[in-house]
Amino acid sequence: MANKKIAVLPGDGIGQEIADGAIKVLEVIAKRFGHSFTFEKGLIGGCAIDQTGSPLPEETIALCKNSDAVLMGAVGGPKWDLGTVRPEQGLLAIRKELNLFANLRPVTVFKSLQQASTLKEEVIDGVDILIVRELTGGLYFGKPSERRENGQVVVDTLYYTKEEMERIIKKAFDLARLRNKKVTSVDKANVLESSRMWRETANEIAKDYPDVELNHMLVDNCAMQLVRDPRQFDVIVTENLFGDILSDEAAMLTGSLGMLPSASLTDNGPGLYEPVHGSAPDIAGQNKANPLAMILSSAMMIRYSFEMLEEADKIEQAVSEVLANGLRTGDIADDKTKSLATTDEMIEAVISHL
Ligand code: IPM
Ligand code: MN
C-alpha cells in the first residue's frame, strides 16, 4: 500500500481527453492493488498562456516539485504558433526546472499492430529499442540563440559540458544492463566537435561496463539503419536534437506515434511521463484520439517512479489485449478495422482488462 501524489498537466488539444483516461486507469489500479493516488491538475502550454500569460506558471512548477511524479499530456496548437510566448517553451522549461536530463523512449511493436506499420512485417517483427535522449542540453538550450544584423544572420548554440554527457551515457549503460547489453551511441563525429567529445566520453564510460557492448553510429546512418534493420538496436543513446528526430522516426516502426510513451528522469526528484506524440489540434475534443501512449506513459510512471512493477505490467498487458481484440482508433486502423473506437471506448476497454 503506497500513497502517491501525482501532478497532472493535461496541456492542450487532445492532452485533456487522454490525461483523463490515464487518471481513470490509475484509479482502477489503485483500487485493485490497495494504493492511494491523489491527482492534482496544473496548467502548462497554450492553456496556461491563455489563463496566466505564461506557458509554465510558478504554481505549476511548485505543484510538480511537491509531487511524487508528473503526468503530462501534450502542448501546442496553431492558435499560439505565431506568438512570441509559445506553449513549447513551457515544456522545455519544466524539463529544465526538474532537471529531467534523461528521456527514455521505448519502441516496441505490438504483434497485433504490425500491419499498421508502413514497414514490412518481417522487418519490424520483434523490434525492441530503448532510445535514451539527452533532454536538457545541446541546441535546445544553448545561448546565444538569436537573430542578428536586421534578421539577416541567425545563431543557435550547441553547448554541452562533459558532465552532462557522462550522466546520460552512464544512464544508457545502466539501462542496457537490464536489457540486451548493447549500446549504440549516435553522433555526428565526422563534422561536429561536440560529437567528437561525445564519442570520447562514451568510450571512457564503456570501460566501466565491460559486460555491455558499445558501438558508435553516425546519425545519418542511424536514420537509415532504423528503417533498414531496426532489430540490430537495443539501447540508442544520443544528444537532444538527434534524439528528438530519431525517436519520431523510430515511432513509425510501431505503426503510429499514438502508441509511444516516454519517461523523463532526473537523479533525485520527480520524473515526468508523457506520450511522444503532440497535441493533435485537428482532432481535439472529438473523442477520436488514441489514449494508449498516455496510458502506457502512466504505466512507465508507476514502474520507474513508484516501483510498482506488477501494476505496470498489468496496464501494459491490458493494452496489449485490447489491441489483440481488434479495437482501433483511426491512427492504428487497418483494412480489418470495421469501425473505429472512440477515445472513451478505448479507455473503457483497457479498464475492463485490468
Ligand atoms: C518532443 C517534442 C518537443 C521536443 C517539442 C514540442 C518542443 O517534439 O518531446 O519530442 O522537441 O522535445
Ligand atoms: Mn519530438
Side-chain angles (χ1 to χ4, degrees), residues 101-274:
F101 66 89
N103 183 217
L104 279 45
R105 299 187 160 182
V107 180
T108 44
V109 180
F110 288 92
K111 260 262 181 288
S112 51
L113 276 189
Q114 280 183 186
Q115 290 174 356
S117 176
T118 48
L119 280 93
K120 291 192 188 115
E121 279 193 68
E122 64 256 36
V123 173
I124 56 170
D125 186 30
V127 161
D128 183 4
I129 305 172
L130 178 63
I131 298 185
V132 179
R133 168 188 174 193
E134 200 292 323
L135 203 61
T136 49
L139 276 168
Y140 274 64
F141 294 95
K143 292 278 169 327
S145 170
E146 64 198 20
R147 302 283 174 100
R148 291 179 183 171
E149 300 176 34
N150 292 323
Q152 299 309 295
V153 171
V154 64
V155 57
D156 282 308
T157 302
L158 205 177
Y159 179 97
Y160 267 115
T161 63
K162 180 94 175 165
E163 201 200 328
E164 286 173 319
M165 291 185 182
E166 284 168 351
R167 64 182 183 178
I168 187 71
I169 295 169
K170 262 190 206 142
K171 189 79 170 179
F173 274 91
D174 286 336
L175 290 161
R177 272 195 171 149
L178 306 172
R179 299 171 43 98
N180 294 318
K181 299 193 169 63
K182 188 175 166 191
V183 171
T184 303
S185 169
V186 174
D187 62 39
K188 187 71 185 172
N190 53 348
V191 178
L192 301 176
E193 197 53 44
S194 55
S195 282
R196 285 189 281 275
M197 182 160 141
W198 181 279
R199 202 173 269 223
E200 273 162 37
T201 309
N203 284 331
E204 288 159 20
I205 304 276
K207 291 190 189 128
D208 297 331
Y209 296 82
D211 51 322
V212 178
E213 178 192 336
L214 168 69
N215 65 312
H216 301 281
M217 197 177 274
L218 296 172
V219 63
D220 48 353
N221 184 29
C222 183
M224 178 187 66
Q225 295 297 337
L226 271 173
V227 286
R228 194 189 74 89
D229 175 22
R231 271 177 307 219
Q232 69 184 284
F233 297 107
D234 177 24
V235 174
I236 292 177
V237 64
T238 191
E239 64 89 48
N240 203 345
L241 181 64
F242 295 162
D244 176 48
I245 299 168
L246 293 177
S247 59
D248 264 37
E249 187 192 3
M252 278 319 289
L253 302 170
T254 69
S256 168
L257 202 51
M259 292 302 302
L260 251 69
S262 81
S264 302
L265 308 174
T266 183
D267 277 335
N268 43 30
L272 181 147
Y273 300 81
E274 57 172 322

Side-chain angles (χ1 to χ4, degrees), residues 289-339:
N290 181 352
L292 296 180
M294 184 82 215
I295 290 172
L296 292 168
S297 298
S298 71
M300 280 190 98
M301 176 182 80
I302 61 177
R303 171 176 294 119
Y304 287 97
S305 284
F306 305 161
E307 284 162 29
M308 297 176 179
L309 311 186
E310 201 189 323
E311 293 85 334
D313 285 347
K314 190 92 201 157
I315 296 178
E316 285 162 1
Q317 201 191 320
V319 168
S320 180
E321 284 166 15
V322 164
L323 292 171
N325 285 350
L327 220 60
R328 298 284 185 271
T329 41
D331 59 315
I332 49 173
D334 56 34
D335 3 309
K336 283 196 228 119
T337 311
K338 290 196 193 75
S339 67

Side-chain angles (χ1 to χ4, degrees), residues 12-15 17 75-81 278-286:
D12 307 314
I14 60 168
E17 311 154 50
V75 295
K79 182 176 172 196
W80 305 281
D81 272 351
S279 58
D282 52 322
I283 57 163
Q286 297 174 31

